[in-house]
Amino acid sequence: MDNIKNWSKNELVAYILLYVANADLHETTEEKDFILTKVDKETYAAIHKQFDRDNDYQCIQNIIEGVKSHDYFRDDYAELFADIKLLLYADGEADRMEESTLLFLRKILKED
């Protein structure tokens, strides 16, 4: 699971959503449930293990590397960012740290 270049699109999406969900250092049940609407339980569990091993810098590098190496979104991040916005409100309210993380991801993924 360590080689980002071998990740599927679902694995990458799960990782990104986990990163945002944990921006406030707390992943709620509602956030987990939302992520599970996007990926199966096995993918979620495997990606969560990887996510738990990574520090913040590694998470960002994995996201950048995954997006660039796979070109899954082909410069159209609308679906990904829509999923992130839905995740932000999965537990009823968007936390400031999660909102900031969304803005940060927009910046690093859309600008080289």
Side-chain angles (χ1 to χ4, degrees), residues 30-87:
E30 294 86 2
E31 290 168 335
K32 176 184 175 183
D33 291 345
F34 176 79
I35 296 168
L36 287 170
T37 67
K38 301 296 173 187
V39 300
D40 60 72
K41 288 181 181 181
E42 293 78 23
T43 300
Y44 174 84
I47 289 298
H48 212 301
K49 280 175 121 174
Q50 177 67 46
F51 178 81
D52 289 341
R53 284 193 300 263
D54 295 340
N55 62 37
D56 195 55
Y57 176 79
Q58 290 167 320
C59 288
I60 294 297
Q61 293 306 308
N62 288 343
I63 292 168
I64 292 169
E65 175 71 24
V67 169
K68 284 185 179 179
S69 68
H70 293 300
D71 194 28
Y72 283 138
F73 305 104
R74 292 179 182 71
D75 296 326
D76 181 13
Y77 298 96
E79 183 180 348
L80 174 65
F81 290 129
D83 285 344
I84 292 172
K85 282 185 178 180
L86 289 172
L87 174 73

